Amino acid sequence: MVKEKVLDFANKVSKKKRGAKDAIKPEDPEYRILEPVVTDEMAEVALGLEFRIPQSAQEVAAKCGKSIEETSRILDELADLGVCFVNKKDGVDKYWHDTWIPGIMECMVNKIENVRKYPQIAEAMEAYGRVRGPLTAGIFPVGMGLMRVIPIEESIMAEKRRASYEEVSKYLNENTLFSVSNCSCRTTREIMGEGCGHLKEDMCIQMGHAAEYYIRTGRGREITREEAFEIIKRAEENGLIHQIPNTDGPGKTHAICNCCGCGCLSLRTAEMFYNTDMVRSNYVAQVDKDKCVACGECVEHCPVNALKLGQKICTKSPLPKQKRRELPRNTEWGPDKWNPDYRINRQVVVDTGTSPCKSECPAHIGVQGYIKLAAQGKYRDALELIKKENPFPAVCGRVCPRYCESACTRGDIDDPLAIDDIKKFIAEQDLKAQHRYVPPLRHQYGKKIAIVGAGPAGLSCAYYLAIDGYKVTVFEKQNVLGGMLTLGIPSFRLERDVINAEIDILKELGIEFKTGVEVGKDVTLHDLRSQGFKAFYLAIGAQKGRKLGIEGEDAQGVITGVDFLRKVNLDYGTELEGAVVVIGGGNVAIDVARAATRVGAAHVDMYCLENRKEMPALDEEIEEATSEGIAINNSWGPKRILTQNGRVTGVEFKKCISVFDEKNRFNPTYDENDTMTVKADHVLVSVGQAIDWGTLIAESAIALNPNQTIMADPETYQTGEPDVFAGGDALTGPKFAIDAIALGKEGAISIHRYVQPGQSLVMGRTKRAYRAFDKANVDLEGYDRLPRQRAPHVACDSPKTTFHDPRGIFTEEQVRKETERCLSCGATVVDEDLCVGCGMCTTKCKFEAIKLVKKYDAENIEFSKLKPVIIKSVLKRKLRIAFKKAAKPLTSMFKSNTK
């Protein structure tokens, strides 16, 4: 049943008349937000309130016909609900109502017990901007919107034309009373289950009369000016931007909101409706392409997706010009021009692509960025940039597959840039440093998270969760940490002290490690839940070797390569004698063969199905194997293993004609008549890896794929158990460490969102769909041919017997020379029509490549003076639209005549 007086009050606040065509109706958000908590009796009193004119209970009582005592009681109830403000003036409580937003709706949502009890309150606040927002499209001049972005002060300090009203410090320094409250927008999103991962707590600052009201009604807690500045600083560090209620009059406001583009209902005006003028500051971002290195930090932190990565290297044929988008200020505007999915369709790259190195790296590290920092000798900054995406640069500098180098544009001139060696040098400076780089904690969330598996995916996930202040415990079945980094890679490729040094950083972050604990056997997921763990990340790796399924495979002397390497790395006294046959042609098989030469094998022969060109092992690793006297026999597949008295004596092979069918699927064909027998004292089978789940997921809703990888959502990595997420080889099957590391960070993002109430796993989440530009269209004429620097090898009397890594590290001079070879292919592109001028991009750039430039000079006005400004703007817009329509046929005719 409609509450008539409540509906009357909703119309009064909206300045509408009941019965009019545009009157507020019961289905409208203005009524729906009041309906759960405001009675008709309360509304009778509320109807006596005036817009921004403080009145005493006595004055309101005279209007509503109730006693002063009853009126005072109801007014206090209305103030507590958020329907009106109350301040003490000259010792008397004075009450008034404000606008819906900013005003009543935020205050009502910040009464947290009410909004939890009545989610309709949050739903109404969300609906208000979605329903009313389109009506404002194009009619508010810049600087006159109800809310307005205020630039991060650091970003405009160099602008000589900046005005004091554009500085956050002005508002803090001019006030004496402050409070801090939850963000009402993020509270709304949370209540609706659509949170973006940016949490609501202690984010919005009130000043003056608003602070008095928030403190009095328990919506906020009183803080000092110094605390307010600290909140501003913390918000900026965490990628949040500043907005103010913009209708208090020139140079005045009563609050500073710290907002994210993925949750803020005000910024939605710019993102969903492209009505940027409604909220923008006087500034826009501009990029100096000569300085920009396409690291992507500005792109990923832009709250409104106004920045994307593009290219700056010259092309043979011109790239399509970036079209100026249509704007509501001079175009008829409707749903066909909106972006309703802006929270899930954020883009990071322009249509024509960007730098291949960043695009091809699974972790999308800002390669150009750290190369430039290394060139400048800023190794600590370079390391910090790398660790935003990869906590283990020293490890990856030794075992990375170097997708970035394979894609490097420089490789089309002479040799690819030695990206991995540069990264290895940067990481080495940190390993040698007296005080290593430990990232600061961004939050103190404190909830307990369990990681199962201490390999690269699990460790990466633990690292990023720890930075957010979670209490992370890593459970590892083995007695050593590192997973396949430690157990599956021989130390002549990755020495233990390198792994341990990078794991030490995780220990400094407060991560707890429990080794020798097999989850599922020694403790179950159910047990851990009862111990208070709120979420789980399963990253157990592919730790078991695959068998061939042929005769004789169970004979003594036959072992999988994975098991062999594990024994070698754990120093279990593995010694081989005589002839060793390694079956397999991948990187692991190469490692197995090289390790075999170091533990006593008289000679080692490798046999694989693939021809030399098809071998999955990296060229560099094949060369290292052959240099150590390992013979590689291509295009042979095992037919059976020969045995005598239960022990291997040899292997019979058959000729492999082809490995892949016409659809490039693995489907070997053989010449059964072309066989050969090879003597063998030991056979090491390295034809792939499998996953041993044990009892880890027994009696759970977690499902497995046919290949025994875990079944999980491809975007969030959530499994059939809502609190269990997965990553690494257990999810993808055997891949490289960098692939697992990238998945670990994404897993941490999902877990953070899962354990926090009301957060969506997908809303506001950046899909890092980077893609490279078309290298065939790149003009590489005129570039100097500069020789690629080569890292020295450490001299060793017997390289075939040592387990030390002989590969050296660049000198500082080599780093300087190699970084000069970078073509600096990519750069950021700004869409000035989308940019709100917040300045976040400038604070994330380490290269002074992006700055805010003052484009407008508009100061806010008081609400009561806004109407004539809007009317004038509406008339101008109609004229612009009419002129545009009239000019369109003339433009078409001119183009036709030109042709």
Side-chain angles (χ1 to χ4, degrees):
M1 194 168 102
V2 175
K3 299 176 180 178
E4 297 295 338
K5 294 296 183 182
V6 174
L7 188 56
D8 286 340
F9 179 67
N11 276 280
K12 176 175 181 174
V13 174
S14 304
K15 302 186 184 302
K16 307 290 185 184
K17 290 184 178 181
R18 288 286 300 269
K21 186 178 180 180
D22 61 348
I24 302 301
K25 300 173 180 62
E27 62 270 22
D28 290 331
E30 294 88 339
Y31 173 80
R32 285 180 53 76
I33 198 166
L34 301 171
E35 187 270 335
V37 290
V38 179
T39 66
D40 271 339
E41 182 188 32
M42 296 164 73
E44 279 188 283
V45 174
L47 286 165
L49 294 169
E50 299 298 336
F51 173 65
R52 294 187 180 178
I53 299 176
Q55 297 178 97
S56 65
Q58 183 176 359
E59 292 172 297
V60 177
K63 296 180 179 181
C64 67
K66 297 183 184 294
S67 67
I68 295 173
E69 292 75 14
E70 186 177 10
T71 301
S72 179
R73 174 183 63 79
I74 292 174
L75 285 171
D76 284 339
E77 288 180 9
L78 288 167
D80 185 62
L81 292 173
V83 177
C84 68
F85 277 100
V86 59
N87 274 188
K88 197 170 284 294
K89 298 179 182 292
D90 300 324
V92 177
D93 284 341
K94 298 290 183 78
Y95 306 85
W96 69 96
H97 77 76
D98 213 299
T99 55
W100 289 115
I101 289 181
I104 293 172
M105 290 190 171
E106 290 98 329
C107 293
M108 290 189 70
V109 166
N110 273 329
K111 181 73 173 176
I112 192 65
E113 57 268 37
N114 278 353
V115 80
R116 283 177 178 155
K117 186 175 181 181
Y118 304 107
Q120 179 178 319
I121 294 172
E123 292 163 4
M125 179 171 168
E126 186 279 330
Y128 180 80
R130 183 164 39 81
V131 173
R132 305 302 175 200
L135 303 178
T136 67
I139 67 172
F140 277 78
V142 172
M144 302 299 163
L146 305 181
M147 296 287 294
R148 189 182 192 186
V149 169
I150 293 294
I152 293 172
E153 198 159 329
E154 172 191 340
S155 69
I156 59 172
M157 291 307 293
E159 175 57 70
K160 295 178 181 178
R161 296 177 298 150
R162 72 179 187 277
S164 62
Y165 65 83
E166 298 167 331
E167 299 172 358
V168 169
S169 61
K170 161 191 157 56
Y171 301 105
L172 296 181
N173 289 327
E174 286 182 353
N175 282 278
T176 57
L177 182 63
F178 306 90
S179 65
V180 64
S181 73
N182 293 344
C183 168
S184 58
C185 293
R186 295 200 283 278
T187 299
T188 293
R189 299 290 197 187
E190 176 187 307
I191 293 297
M192 297 178 68
E194 297 178 357
C196 59
H198 293 106
L199 303 189
K200 64 182 185 299
E201 284 75 17
D202 283 2
M203 271 293 111
C204 292
I205 298 168
Q206 298 79 39
M207 300 167 289
H209 77 267
E212 180 184 335
Y213 165 74
Y214 265 64
I215 294 165
R216 175 169 170 170
T217 59
R219 282 168 168 74
R221 60 181 177 85
E222 185 173 359
I223 58 173
T224 64
R225 179 181 288 114
E226 291 70 28
E227 287 176 296
F229 273 109
E230 187 58 36
I231 289 167
I232 293 292
K233 178 183 176 184
R234 188 172 75 243
E236 293 171 359
E237 290 172 348
N238 287 318
L240 304 179
I241 67 171
H242 314 308
Q243 287 190 93
I244 60 170
N246 197 44
T247 61
D248 288 7
K252 296 179 182 178
T253 194
H254 59 270
I256 302 172
C257 301
N258 295 309
C259 312
C260 63
C262 39
C264 178
L265 299 175
S266 171
L267 290 175
R268 175 174 61 179
T269 305
E271 298 174 274
M272 179 173 173
F273 302 118
Y274 295 129
N275 188 18
T276 312
D277 289 352
M278 182 80 173
V279 294
R280 73 182 342 145
S281 76
N282 284 328
Y283 296 81
V284 294
Q286 288 186 359
V287 172
D288 183 337
K289 283 197 170 185
D290 291 335
K291 293 180 179 179
C292 182
V293 295
C295 67
E297 287 298 294
C298 60
V299 171
E300 300 217 10
H301 283 91
C302 177
V304 294
N305 204 196
L307 307 178
K308 297 181 181 72
L309 287 187
Q311 73 179 86
K312 63 180 176 182
I313 194 167
C314 293
T315 57
K316 296 174 184 175
S317 56
L319 296 176
K321 286 188 176 180
Q322 186 180 358
K323 291 182 179 179
R324 287 293 300 270
R325 66 174 62 251
E326 288 187 309
L327 298 171
R329 67 172 74 143
N330 60 7
T331 308
E332 290 180 338
W333 215 243
D336 59 312
K337 293 180 170 59
W338 302 347
N339 181 17
D341 295 327
Y342 75 95
R343 300 185 75 207
I344 57 173
N345 64 7
R346 183 181 173 94
Q347 297 179 330
V348 291
V349 63
V350 298
D351 292 341
T352 52
T354 188
S355 306
C357 54
K358 184 176 180 72
S359 301
E360 297 306 316
C361 173
H364 302 300
I365 301 170
V367 175
Q368 273 183 240
Y370 72 72
I371 286 173
K372 184 67 172 181
L373 290 166
Q376 296 171 343
K378 298 177 180 178
Y379 305 127
R380 184 104 168 168
D381 287 346
L383 184 80
E384 182 181 346
L385 181 60
I386 294 170
K387 285 199 168 189
K388 288 182 185 296
E389 311 299 341
N390 177 5
F392 310 112
V395 166
C396 285
R398 290 158 171 83
V399 299
C400 190
R402 308 182 182 185
Y403 299 128
C404 53
E405 293 188 22
S406 298
C408 178
T409 312
R410 181 88 212 186
D412 292 348
I413 299 175
D414 36 45
D415 289 318
L417 199 69
I419 296 169
D420 221 38
D421 281 311
I422 295 170
K423 177 172 62 190
K424 186 176 178 182
F425 173 87
I426 293 165
E428 192 70 15
Q429 308 317 299
D430 191 50
L431 294 180
K432 293 176 180 176
Q434 184 177 359
H435 301 290
R436 298 189 59 203
Y437 172 73
V438 180
L441 300 187
R442 298 186 302 183
H443 306 285
Q444 287 291 346
Y445 292 140
K447 296 184 179 184
K448 293 172 68 175
I449 311 295
I451 310 292
V452 182
L459 294 175
S460 173
C461 185
Y463 175 89
Y464 291 108
L465 286 169
I467 291 174
D468 270 344
Y470 287 103
K471 293 181 179 178
V472 182
T473 303
V474 179
F475 296 89
E476 170 54 50
K477 176 181 176 180
Q478 302 293 336
N479 290 316
V480 294
L481 301 174
M484 296 303 282
L485 296 175
T486 302
L487 301 175
I489 301 175
S491 58
F492 54 78
R493 287 190 59 224
L494 179 59
E495 299 204 45
R496 301 289 85 85
D497 59 349
V498 174
I499 304 171
N500 292 334
E502 299 213 291
I503 291 176
D504 284 343
I505 297 297
L506 276 69
K507 293 177 179 177
E508 287 192 51
L509 287 170
I511 296 169
E512 182 180 0
F513 293 93
K514 292 188 176 182
T515 55
V517 178
E518 183 177 351
V519 178
K521 178 182 176 183
D522 302 315
V523 63
T524 66
L525 294 178
H526 179 73
D527 295 334
L528 294 174
R529 288 186 183 104
S530 67
Q531 294 173 25
F533 287 94
K534 302 301 182 185
F536 305 88
Y537 189 68
L538 306 188
I540 63 171
Q543 70 283 55
K544 187 171 71 170
R546 288 191 182 278
K547 290 191 173 185
L548 294 165
I550 60 174
E551 178 188 338
E553 193 170 14
D554 295 327
Q556 186 180 354
V558 181
I559 185 175
T560 67
V562 170
D563 289 337
F564 169 71
L565 287 176
R566 182 180 297 112
K567 289 181 178 182
V568 170
N569 286 325
L570 290 174
D571 197 20
Y572 282 174
T574 304
E575 292 186 6
L576 302 178
E577 295 179 348
V580 174
V581 168
V582 176
I583 299 175
N587 292 315
V588 176
I590 296 283
D591 288 344
V592 168
R594 295 181 66 200
T597 67
R598 288 160 169 77
V599 293
H603 62 88
V604 179
D605 290 277
M606 289 181 63
Y607 292 83
C608 62
L609 296 174
E610 301 87 357
N611 62 39
R612 174 64 182 81
K613 186 177 180 181
E614 294 170 331
M615 281 182 71
L618 298 175
D619 290 342
E620 172 188 317
E621 302 221 15
I622 295 171
E623 290 169 9
E624 287 176 339
T626 55
S627 71
E628 292 178 5
I630 296 167
I632 298 176
N633 301 274
N634 296 104
S635 302
W636 290 99
K639 185 173 183 178
R640 61 180 175 138
I641 293 175
L642 307 176
T643 65
Q644 184 175 352
N645 298 325
R647 180 167 184 84
V648 62
T649 60
V651 184
E652 183 181 357
F653 288 96
K654 54 188 175 181
K655 190 67 174 178
C656 180
I657 300 171
S658 64
V659 178
F660 303 100
D661 62 19
E662 64 279 359
K663 294 184 178 179
N664 205 33
R665 294 174 300 195
F666 182 77
N667 188 18
T669 57
Y670 302 94
D671 181 350
E672 299 288 346
N673 296 317
D674 188 356
T675 64
M676 71 173 175
T677 300
V678 177
K679 180 182 178 299
D681 297 296
H682 299 273
V683 176
L684 307 180
V685 179
S686 187
V687 292
Q689 294 161 244
I691 304 163
D692 182 6
W693 287 104
T695 57
L696 173 58
I697 58 176
E699 298 182 6
S700 75
I702 296 172
L704 298 179
N705 293 303
N707 66 353
Q708 295 301 292
T709 56
I710 198 165
M711 200 176 289
D713 183 276
E715 185 176 348
T716 68
Y717 311 112
Q718 187 177 40
T719 70
E721 293 280 352
D723 61 348
V724 178
F725 298 80
D729 291 354
L731 176 73
T732 62
K735 296 187 86 171
F736 292 99
I738 188 62
D739 297 282
I741 288 166
L743 287 174
K745 182 176 180 181
E746 290 298 321
I749 292 170
S750 287
I751 288 172
H752 160 66
R753 286 166 172 253
Y754 173 79
V755 301
Q756 297 296 343
Q759 303 306 302
S760 163
L761 296 184
V762 297
M763 291 291 185
R765 186 169 185 157
T766 299
K767 296 176 183 176
R768 309 183 76 211
Y770 289 99
R771 59 185 177 278
F773 52 64
D774 177 13
K775 287 204 290 182
N777 189 36
V778 172
D779 183 2
L780 297 177
E781 294 297 322
Y783 284 100
D784 292 334
R785 268 58 175 173
L786 299 174
R788 175 177 166 133
Q789 297 297 305
R790 307 287 174 182
H793 271 55
V794 177
C796 178
D797 293 336
S798 52
K800 291 172 60 174
T801 61
T802 181
F803 273 91
H804 291 296
D805 187 352
R807 297 169 298 175
I809 295 168
F810 275 176
T811 65
E812 195 162 8
E813 178 64 15
Q814 282 184 299
V815 169
R816 186 188 65 77
K817 288 182 178 179
E818 189 62 18
T819 55
E820 287 177 355
R821 298 180 67 240
C822 180
L823 302 180
S824 196
C825 301
T828 296
V829 177
V830 181
D831 185 337
E832 291 191 10
D833 294 324
L834 280 186
C835 176
V836 295
C838 66
M840 178 56 63
C841 53
T842 70
T843 69
K844 301 302 176 184
C845 181
K846 294 180 179 292
F847 308 95
E848 297 182 348
I850 191 164
K851 63 180 180 179
L852 288 191
V853 175
K854 193 161 187 176
K855 184 175 181 178
Y856 307 98
D857 191 19
E859 187 174 5
N860 64 324
I861 59 175
E862 204 276 324
F863 189 87
S864 63
K865 299 178 181 178
L866 191 55
K867 188 174 181 179
V869 174
I870 298 301
I871 292 173
K872 184 177 179 181
S873 178
V874 168
L875 293 173
K876 284 186 174 180
R877 177 175 181 255
K878 287 182 177 180
L879 287 173
R880 285 194 294 267
I881 292 172
F883 179 79
K884 187 176 179 182
K885 284 182 176 180
K888 193 171 183 179
L890 293 175
T891 304
S892 300
M893 184 176 69
F894 176 77
K895 286 182 178 179
S896 177
N897 290 338
T898 302
K899 290 178 183 178

